Amino acid sequence: MSDMMKQYIEEAESALLHTYNRYQVVLDKGDGVYLYDLNGKKYLDFFSGIAVFALGYNNKEYNDALKEQIDKLIHTSNYYYNMPAIEAARKLKKVSGMDRVFFTNSGAEAVEGAIKAARKYAYLKDGSTDHEIIAMNHSFHGRTMGALSVTGNPKYREAFEPGIGNIRFADMNDFESVLANVNDKTCAIILETVQGEGGVYPATEEFLTKIRTLCDERDILLILDEIQCGMGRTGYMFAWQKYGVKPDIMTTAKALGCGVPVGAFLLNEKVGANSLAAGDHGTTYGGNPLACAAVSKVLDLFEKNHIIDNVNEVAGYLEEKLDMLVSKYDFIQTRRGAGLMQGLVFDRPVAPYISAALEAGLILINAGTYIIRFVPSLVITKENVDEMISILDSCLAEN
Ligand SMILES: *Cc1c(COP(=O)(O)O)cnc(C)c1O
């Protein structure tokens, strides 16, 4: 490692709060599906900053749109209207079929808003303040207190208890376990359409359909967290669109801004008209012109560059190549996922393979101890898949 990179890493370890065990690399710039560290070493990126850089790095049209907005107006606050937010909301409504948009600064904040909207909806119905939410085991919804409270990983929650309370956990794809937790106080069911951090685990169509019916029958709100699996990643703009099961509230973030910190929660008209009202919720930055210019441009480029077509073209190829690795190495148990959100499940910790890949110029990430997660940019090609498989294959053979 160069002296300069080493110095920066040492400074980081004394200045930044140590909440991550970071890889020993200082990243400097990106281009397309490649990243470069301070020494100029090139990496093929199959992580895209946690499923964020859907359009790849250094997309000229995207960069130009941001530069133009920076020179015009970066921030206004929500006491005034701004054009980029209105245009971004229009485009987001169109691709989602939802009716109302609230922009946030992150995914966790979108989940917070979704929870507040659900509680307020229930409160307006019966005036009581002890409503319950059902979430899934192994889910991940973010690190703020509300989002953490519905995150189904006790390890993330324990030191921070008590959470917001009145949360029950059921098992993904086990409808009976959901039913067993429903009662008259249940106001919402929240789940990721495809679990990300919890192990790249898609909800089944049967499970989602039954939950939708249950929600309709009992006027429970269905909240789908599409922060990781949405924005084209599974070959649909939002993963639920494959199943014809529509949420009452949906969260999005990560690839929504392709690098600019922005998220949103979206509501259908029923919830939009009967939940959060003036004074109930707010944010200083949320929906600011810079972030929304990014969202707006991202949605334009998704359409113009046929991003979802590319996902559908390359995903099958990626699956095929990953399946080859499953047959070749008996310590890889299975592959699962949807579109360009895939996981390889190992019978042993994957950390050594991820480190070896990094050394060899390939950026990968885990989802838990035993799973390598593949969430590349949505502009990757079959050649990029070949390159990734070739590096990973040699790391698997040697380690
Ligand atoms: C990343 C993620 C979040 C949290 O988003 P942040 O922007 O990190 O707050 C919530 N839900 C899911 C499914 C995620 O993948």
Side-chain angles (χ1 to χ4, degrees):
M1 192 189 299
S2 72
D3 282 351
M4 181 163 68
M5 196 142 98
K6 212 168 139 193
Q7 273 169 22
Y8 270 111
I9 290 175
E10 274 167 16
E11 187 175 349
E13 287 307 330
S14 69
L16 298 173
L17 189 64
H18 189 94
T19 51
Y20 284 88
N21 290 319
R22 295 174 211 263
Y23 293 99
Q24 298 297 296
V25 175
V26 181
L27 292 171
D28 186 38
K29 60 181 183 185
D31 195 32
V33 296
Y34 294 96
L35 281 166
Y36 298 83
D37 70 17
L38 267 186
N39 298 339
K41 180 175 166 182
K42 184 177 179 182
Y43 301 86
L44 173 63
D45 181 15
F46 263 67
F47 182 36
S48 58
I50 326 190
V52 166
F53 268 90
L55 298 170
Y57 299 100
N58 201 20
N59 179 297
K60 188 169 182 330
E61 282 177 78
Y62 170 85
N63 288 1
D64 287 346
L66 288 191
K67 288 172 193 167
E68 201 179 303
Q69 190 60 47
I70 284 172
D71 289 337
K72 225 169 153 184
L73 184 64
I74 295 175
H75 180 75
T76 55
S77 92
N78 282 302
Y79 284 99
Y80 310 94
Y81 301 98
N82 76 74
M83 254 167 53
I86 298 163
E87 285 173 6
R90 180 205 307 143
K91 292 169 191 175
L92 204 45
K93 281 177 56 170
K94 183 172 164 221
V95 293
S96 67
M98 303 295 286
D99 301 309
R100 296 272 170 180
V101 182
F102 184 102
F103 287 110
T104 65
N105 308 289
S106 69
E109 264 182 89
V111 173
E112 298 290 331
I115 292 171
K116 280 181 72 175
R119 281 189 167 181
K120 179 79 192 288
Y121 177 86
Y123 171 80
L124 287 177
K125 276 199 304 185
D126 66 12
S128 68
T129 53
D130 57 353
H131 295 107
E132 296 183 356
I133 294 172
I134 299 174
M136 300 299 135
N137 288 312
H138 306 295
S139 63
F140 182 85
H141 297 291
R143 302 294 195 149
T144 54
M145 285 308 297
L148 188 62
S149 300
V150 292
T151 287
N153 183 340
K155 213 178 64 192
Y156 288 164
R157 289 199 316 266
E158 189 182 289
F160 310 101
E161 298 286 0
I164 64 169
N166 290 23
I167 310 295
R168 292 167 175 260
F169 288 95
D171 289 321
M172 183 85 152
N173 293 336
D174 178 354
F175 183 68
E176 291 306 315
S177 78
V178 175
L179 259 191
N181 282 292
V182 172
N183 60 44
D184 290 342
K185 293 180 184 172
T186 311
C187 70
I189 298 173
I190 181 169
L191 67 140
E192 300 155 83
T193 322
V194 181
Q195 287 187 341
E197 309 293 321
V200 193
Y201 202 71
T204 62
E205 179 163 4
E206 189 195 352
F207 182 65
L208 276 181
T209 309
K210 283 184 172 169
I211 287 197
R212 181 67 270 179
T213 306
L214 170 73
C215 288
D216 289 339
E217 283 168 4
R218 306 195 52 152
D219 200 18
I220 295 167
L221 300 181
L222 174 59
I223 305 172
L224 290 180
D225 182 342
E226 290 265 339
I227 289 168
Q228 189 161 160
C229 64
M231 290 300 293
R233 182 147 299 279
T234 67
Y236 294 81
M237 198 63 195
F238 296 105
W240 54 262
Q241 289 167 338
K242 177 178 179 185
Y243 305 109
V245 168
K246 203 171 162 185
D248 299 291
I249 306 174
M250 182 192 99
T251 58
T252 172
K254 291 200 164 87
L256 178 65
C258 280
V260 168
V262 61
F265 62 97
L266 283 68
L267 316 102
N268 63 18
E269 196 54 43
K270 176 180 91 169
V271 186
N274 299 289
S275 60
L276 301 174
D280 279 337
H281 198 54
T283 161
T284 297
Y285 278 139
N288 92 10
L290 180 62
C292 287
V295 174
S296 196
K297 196 60 179 184
V298 165
L299 291 171
D300 285 348
L301 291 173
F302 260 68
E303 195 174 322
K304 179 172 165 232
N305 297 343
H306 309 288
I307 297 294
I308 290 178
D309 291 345
N310 188 62
V311 172
N312 286 316
E313 196 177 315
V314 179
Y317 190 70
L318 174 63
E319 288 179 353
E320 199 179 296
K321 295 288 164 174
L322 292 174
D323 285 341
M324 267 176 38
L325 296 179
V326 177
S327 350
K328 182 167 173 186
Y329 296 100
D330 51 11
F331 54 86
I332 306 180
Q333 295 174 329
T334 187
R335 171 194 64 78
R336 64 171 176 250
L340 291 179
M341 181 171 181
Q342 297 286 335
L344 277 184
V345 185
F346 284 55
D347 71 359
R348 60 194 65 182
V350 296
Y353 302 106
I354 291 176
S355 297
L358 186 69
E359 197 60 41
L362 169 64
I363 292 185
L364 294 172
I365 199 70
N366 61 305
T369 309
Y370 299 103
I371 297 165
I372 296 184
R373 178 172 25 154
F374 302 83
V375 283
S377 152
L378 304 185
V379 298
I380 59 158
T381 61
K382 291 180 182 171
E383 289 70 36
N384 297 144
V385 171
D386 286 338
E387 188 187 352
M388 181 278 286
I389 292 288
S390 143
I391 300 173
L392 179 57
D393 192 6
S394 55
C395 295
L396 293 169
E398 285 163 18
N399 289 275

